[in-house]
Amino acid sequence: MSKIQMKTPLVEMDGDEMTRILWQMIKDELLEPFLDLKTEYYDLGLAHRNETDDQVTVDAANATLKYGVAVKCATITPNAARVKEYHLKEMWKSPNGTIRAMLDGTVFRAPILVKGIEPCVRSWEKPITLARHAYGDVYKNAEIKVPGPGKAELVFTAPDGTQIRELVHEFQGAGVLQGIHNTEKSIVSFARTCFQYALDTRQDLWFATKDTISKKYDHTFKDIFQEMYETEYKDKFEELGITYFYTLIDDAVARVMKARGGFIWACKNYDGDVMSDMVSSAFGSLAMMTSVLVSPSGVYEYEAAHGTVQRHYYKHLKGEETSTNSVATIFAWTGALRKRGELDGIPQLCDFADRLEAATLGTIESGKMTKDLALITSLQDVTVLNSQEFIRAIRARMEQA
Ligand code: NAP
Ligand code: MG
């Protein structure tokens, strides 16, 4: 059997710990036997980030902007313990944060549905994709712990010195105070990315804020989405038979619980943080979740939603057996390969991605799975496989097909 050829390289960002081990196994067992895999390799493993003063992360993000499609392994975000463990020169920033800032993106997360892992919410028949705005609000705030009585004001000063003032509160005693912001540019690109993703995936788009209470801040989000929909997307949505639906955030939450799924739920930064954890755990597991960062310029970065699975890695280092779920990492690769196939006009590459995903799900549905899934499956007669056995079982299925 001849291997499938690629044209443009994928930007490959290697990572840390257990996911780095899985990364190599996936390439060896599931990709290279079938593909003439072309990648431009960037080692985002913490040791190499440290050696390059984190320049490698910036280079990888620039390569993503150049080629358009990247696949990323989970990476360590350093904290004090990691600085010691890896003898770091500095507490380097989160690579995801650096990459997101350079690509100006929105993160889309969708559960991977498989027979035998049922969502906790009985009405959910199709995946719910969460689109999280990844800039501003409470994540870039200014806070004051108010010590006692006093007047709190919001002040905006223009370059010519003119000011806009708004009273926040006359404090009679101690309290707390917070200032948050967002920019029109970021909200516009968030909206555009969501509308575009809805078109690409042919799904309805939901968006919700608290505009009845926040008549300027949240209302601006609502207005930007509405105006963009009417001027740029309404016709295209109607052509595909999909809808844009705006409602209040509390109403959205109530409706999501009764919905059948199969739509994109766009959330402001905080709502997306909270709701994506709720949706993902209700669908089963973080290891059964796809995650893609989409930039308004049409650049895609695929990754797993979970971390580097540190606890399993330390077991692995001690020579103990691990049963780490590689599904999300496999789907990061298939997502990236399929997108590359679409952009380069290589249907065989898209077809390969479909077959690898089907083989992965088929393996689980046949009762062969890692421990995390064995604990929650409704299937009987389950065989728990270790990290490598699971990947080999998928390969065997690929070869049979
Ligand atoms: P984690 O790697 O997501 O793992 C937390 C726990 O979730 C694991 O101990 C394991 O539970 C379970 N788990 C996660 N993924 C699994 C998988 N594929 N298969 C089976 N079980 C899985 O989170 P963490 O341990 O808090 O973080 C470790 C490192 O990852 C940190 O340094 C953090 O900075 C980094 N991180 C990176 C990213 C990213 O690059 N996207 C995201 C989050 C965190 P059991 O131990 O109970 O089996
Ligand atoms: Mg969260």
Side-chain angles (χ1 to χ4, degrees):
M1 202 180 70
S2 68
K3 291 187 185 183
I4 299 163
Q5 299 295 311
M6 294 176 65
K7 282 182 200 156
T8 317
L10 280 178
V11 177
E12 175 185 354
M13 306 184 199
D14 207 343
D16 289 300
E17 301 196 309
M18 200 59 213
T19 40
R20 189 179 179 99
I21 309 280
L22 298 178
W23 194 259
Q24 195 59 48
M25 286 182 196
I26 290 168
K27 284 171 67 178
D28 291 346
E29 297 280 344
L30 302 179
L31 303 177
E32 280 170 342
F34 306 97
L35 292 179
D36 198 8
L37 187 65
K38 245 192 196 169
T39 73
E40 195 165 291
Y41 180 85
Y42 292 87
D43 183 3
L44 266 57
L46 187 51
H48 193 240
R49 274 183 274 150
N50 191 49
E51 273 161 36
T52 62
D53 294 340
D54 210 20
Q55 183 60 36
V56 66
T57 307
V58 174
D59 292 346
N62 277 323
T64 306
L65 288 167
K66 175 177 166 193
Y67 291 112
V69 187
V71 56
K72 180 180 170 293
C73 181
T75 46
I76 292 169
T77 298
N79 55 16
R82 300 300 200 161
V83 170
K84 254 197 202 157
E85 184 184 355
Y86 284 82
H87 308 290
L88 301 182
K89 299 182 217 167
E90 265 183 50
M91 198 185 292
W92 304 111
K93 281 193 257 171
S94 149
N96 292 324
T98 303
I99 294 165
R100 235 175 259 165
M102 289 178 66
L103 305 187
D104 183 14
T106 301
V107 178
F108 293 86
R109 289 199 165 161
I112 299 162
L113 299 197
V114 60
K115 281 192 211 87
I117 310 290
E118 276 81 31
C120 303
V121 181
R122 270 173 298 149
S123 60
W124 291 357
E125 291 165 10
K126 292 180 181 172
I128 295 168
T129 303
L130 236 120
R132 174 181 170 187
H133 184 211
Y135 179 82
D137 300 355
V138 70
Y139 301 87
K140 234 175 169 8
N141 67 359
E143 298 186 320
I144 297 173
K145 207 161 156 45
V146 175
K151 186 158 101 173
E153 289 177 289
L154 271 181
V155 183
F156 167 79
T157 312
D160 70 1
T162 48
Q163 292 193 327
I164 306 173
R165 262 168 203 277
E166 188 72 36
L167 176 72
V168 177
H169 190 64
E170 295 265 11
F171 282 92
Q172 306 302 319
V176 284
L177 181 64
Q178 180 181 56
I180 61 172
H181 81 281
N182 222 297
T183 67
E184 193 173 284
K185 181 167 175 260
S186 179
I187 302 167
V188 164
S189 80
F190 170 47
R192 174 156 291 119
T193 310
C194 289
F195 285 121
Q196 200 55 49
Y197 199 75
L199 286 180
D200 286 352
T201 59
R202 293 172 173 252
Q203 296 184 84
D204 292 346
L205 176 66
W206 292 24
F207 181 47
T209 72
K210 195 70 185 175
D211 67 280
T212 46
I213 300 297
S214 170
K215 289 190 162 60
K216 293 198 174 113
Y217 200 108
D218 277 23
H219 217 295
T220 299
F221 279 79
K222 177 187 181 182
D223 292 344
I224 287 175
F225 268 72
Q226 193 61 39
E227 197 199 320
M228 188 181 290
Y229 177 65
E230 268 154 30
T231 55
E232 297 180 45
Y233 288 99
K234 196 163 187 278
D235 294 347
K236 294 175 194 154
F237 268 51
E238 283 172 0
E239 227 169 81
L240 289 184
I242 59 175
T243 55
Y244 169 60
F245 172 59
Y246 177 85
T247 187
L248 281 172
I249 184 68
D250 36 351
D251 182 47
V253 170
R255 284 171 187 264
V256 161
M257 284 298 159
K258 305 239 161 123
R260 298 169 67 182
F263 55 88
I264 298 159
W265 183 11
C267 287
K268 286 180 62 204
N269 210 348
Y270 176 79
D271 298 339
D273 185 355
V274 176
M275 292 305 159
S276 66
D277 284 10
M278 185 195 75
V279 170
S280 68
S281 67
F283 270 109
S285 150
L286 263 192
M288 298 296 287
M289 171 88 30
T290 62
S291 181
V292 56
L293 173 70
V294 181
S295 89
S297 58
V299 165
Y300 297 78
E301 184 228 356
Y302 293 83
E303 57 166 7
H306 57 77
T308 60
V309 211
Q310 180 182 18
R311 210 179 63 81
H312 295 205
Y313 180 61
Y314 288 168
K315 278 176 75 180
H316 171 84
L317 287 182
K318 281 195 265 171
E320 291 171 28
E321 192 167 81
T322 59
S323 181
T324 314
N325 188 333
S326 47
V327 172
T329 307
I330 294 170
F331 274 63
W333 277 101
T334 52
L337 289 166
R338 184 183 295 106
K339 181 54 74 180
R340 204 58 274 169
E342 282 167 22
L343 295 174
D344 291 349
I346 312 174
Q348 299 90 325
L349 203 53
C350 303
D351 178 58
F352 171 77
D354 292 346
R355 281 187 290 124
L356 180 49
E357 290 180 0
T360 304
L361 300 183
T363 301
I364 297 169
E365 286 171 359
S366 76
K368 295 177 185 166
M369 59 190 76
T370 45
K371 194 174 154 196
D372 57 314
L373 295 184
L375 290 171
I376 56 170
T377 186
S378 59
L379 295 179
Q380 309 291 317
D381 298 326
V382 166
T383 313
V384 179
L385 301 181
N386 69 31
S387 307
Q388 188 162 34
E389 286 166 350
F390 178 66
I391 289 172
R392 292 223 167 115
I394 299 169
R395 174 158 180 191
R397 221 179 158 84
M398 288 289 283
E399 280 167 348
Q400 270 168 24

